[in-house]
Amino acid sequence: MYEKNKKQRKRFAAWLAAALCFGLCVTPAWAQESEQTLIPLGKAVGIKLFADGVLIVETSELEQNGQSVSPAEDCGLQEGDLILRINDEKIQSTEHVQSILQENGETPVALEVKRGSQIMAVDIVPVRCVDGVYRLGAWIRDSMAGIGTLTYYDPVTNTYGALGHGITDVDTASLMPLSTGSIMETTVKAVKKGQQGNPGELKGDFSVQRDVGALQANTDAGIFGTVSDDNFLPLGEAYPVARNGEIHTGAATILSTVSGDVTREYAVEIVRLCGKDQPTRNMIIRVTDPQLLEITGGIVQGMSGSPILQDGKIVGAVTHVLVNDPTRGYGIFIENMLEAAG
């Protein structure tokens, strides 16, 4: 019996040794996954976005028979509401709305309106103004265009991320609901230097006739899409994606285009980590590069999306400037952007 137990103990010891060796020598499946890499860009780009419907940016009063009236206010429409349909007809543009109203005349129209996540049905009677045009008493917007910065390109999926924050309406601060959009090649022609209390901006030209990529998502953490022009991006070295826990205060750099179409690397400092709770304000950075400070005064509008690099990894993107100190601004963690990209 003793010999039998001794043999069993030996077999168990051999099995245990083999198991330990297997555990030490064989890498788990999750550890075998390759580290994600992206190509940081910092390239200025023109952006145009067409809304899904038309956005009400302001309600107003109209004059009818010597009196002030506001059909939009009377039926409860508000700034930030999105008109999706009129009389079951899908709205394509502000001109489309005007065309429907002119054909309709003073007959009540049925609106399908989106407010937040709620869809509402609203009946409204257009007013014929003194110039003979029928109106609702609401200023509406169907598109936006401007300059921003591309953050990264993923050659595996042919996708890009930009801005580090969403495109919002300038009047209502509402995230613009995306129907279609695109990015266009642009050249930075001038810089309005940032000053305390007065944010600066990049000024440039872009051709609305030459799209180089599609805009497919407008989110709180950035805009995302695919590149259609293979010659548009000067593809450089791919950098590993930093996990949130790897990012630390201290020296870093950003890539940005602040003159012509030349992208340069500039020194910055990550002065504070704010955590992941705020979608676009995960860290505060300070521009330390003398050349960038001389050209822009720090961070200016249009630099949103400039990738932030640290320790040989892409860690995030510039998102906002601090109005009272243009040398400082907020940045978003790159993991937050990639999570929003889906």
Side-chain angles (χ1 to χ4, degrees):
M1 178 66 74
Y2 175 78
E3 291 299 324
K4 182 178 180 181
N5 289 341
K6 186 176 180 181
K7 290 180 180 179
Q8 289 176 339
R9 286 196 296 271
K10 284 184 177 180
R11 284 197 299 268
F12 176 76
W15 173 85
L16 180 61
L20 288 172
C21 182
F22 182 84
L24 290 172
C25 299
V26 178
T27 306
W30 60 265
Q32 293 178 4
E33 295 179 0
S34 59
E35 189 173 34
Q36 183 178 10
T37 60
L38 301 170
I39 299 175
L41 296 176
K43 185 175 179 63
V45 68
I47 303 166
K48 60 181 178 182
L49 177 153
F50 296 94
D52 184 19
V54 293
L55 185 72
I56 296 178
V57 298
E58 184 180 356
T59 58
S60 61
E61 292 188 344
L62 305 171
E63 184 178 343
Q64 184 185 45
N65 299 326
Q67 295 182 334
S68 294
V69 296
S70 179
E73 290 182 5
D74 291 344
C75 70
L77 292 177
Q78 301 175 4
E79 293 180 7
D81 286 348
L82 187 70
I83 302 176
L84 302 175
R85 295 177 180 274
I86 297 180
N87 292 340
D88 289 329
E89 187 172 344
K90 176 67 176 175
I91 297 303
Q92 306 296 331
S93 64
T94 56
E95 291 80 9
H96 189 199
V97 172
Q98 294 166 356
S99 175
I100 293 175
L101 295 181
Q102 294 310 110
E103 292 179 4
N104 181 84
E106 294 181 346
T107 305
V109 294
L111 307 183
E112 181 180 301
V113 178
K114 185 176 182 181
R115 179 177 297 166
S117 59
Q118 180 184 5
I119 302 295
M120 307 180 301
V122 176
D123 292 327
I124 187 171
V125 180
V127 168
R128 188 175 187 273
C129 299
V130 292
D131 57 1
V133 176
Y134 289 91
R135 296 186 172 92
L136 300 178
W139 293 96
I140 56 178
R141 182 172 292 137
D142 64 2
S143 61
M144 295 187 70
I147 292 177
T149 299
L150 293 174
T151 305
Y152 68 81
Y153 173 71
D154 186 343
V156 175
T157 59
N158 190 40
T159 57
Y160 69 84
L163 297 186
H165 60 70
I167 298 175
T168 58
D169 179 73
V170 65
D171 294 302
T172 66
S174 300
L175 192 70
M176 287 289 286
L178 174 66
S179 174
T180 61
S182 60
I183 57 173
M184 301 151 288
E185 192 166 17
T186 190
T187 301
V188 178
K189 296 293 188 180
V191 177
K192 175 188 173 184
K193 195 170 182 178
Q195 299 178 347
Q196 184 177 4
N198 188 10
E201 65 176 318
L202 302 180
K203 299 180 180 181
D205 296 333
F206 53 85
S207 172
V208 295
Q209 304 301 323
R210 183 171 178 263
D211 295 343
V212 293
L215 174 57
Q216 297 169 328
N218 180 31
T219 77
D220 288 328
I223 63 171
F224 308 94
T226 55
V227 176
S228 58
D229 187 337
D230 294 336
N231 298 317
F232 171 61
L233 296 178
L235 300 184
E237 179 186 357
Y239 282 61
V241 170
R243 303 306 175 192
N244 294 346
E246 297 177 301
I247 305 169
H248 58 85
T249 57
T253 60
I254 63 172
L255 297 176
S256 198
T257 305
V258 296
S259 179
D261 59 358
V262 179
T263 301
R264 299 187 185 278
E265 189 170 13
Y266 300 100
V268 300
E269 179 187 8
I270 300 176
V271 297
R272 185 187 304 172
L273 300 178
C274 308
K276 190 180 178 181
D277 295 339
Q278 292 290 332
T280 63
R281 302 186 180 192
N282 306 136
M283 53 182 148
I284 295 178
I285 65 170
R286 180 171 65 90
V287 176
T288 58
D289 194 287
Q291 183 180 11
L292 187 59
L293 290 171
E294 175 64 26
I295 297 172
T296 65
I299 298 169
V300 297
Q301 296 175 20
M303 287 174 61
S304 293
S306 298
I308 305 171
L309 309 176
Q310 186 182 61
D311 299 335
K313 295 187 175 185
I314 179 169
V315 302
V318 176
T319 58
H320 300 86
V321 62
L322 296 180
V323 176
N324 291 327
D325 184 1
T327 67
R328 296 176 180 245
Y330 286 103
I332 183 175
F333 291 154
I334 190 64
E335 277 197 329
N336 283 17
M337 282 191 72
L338 295 175
E339 184 177 329

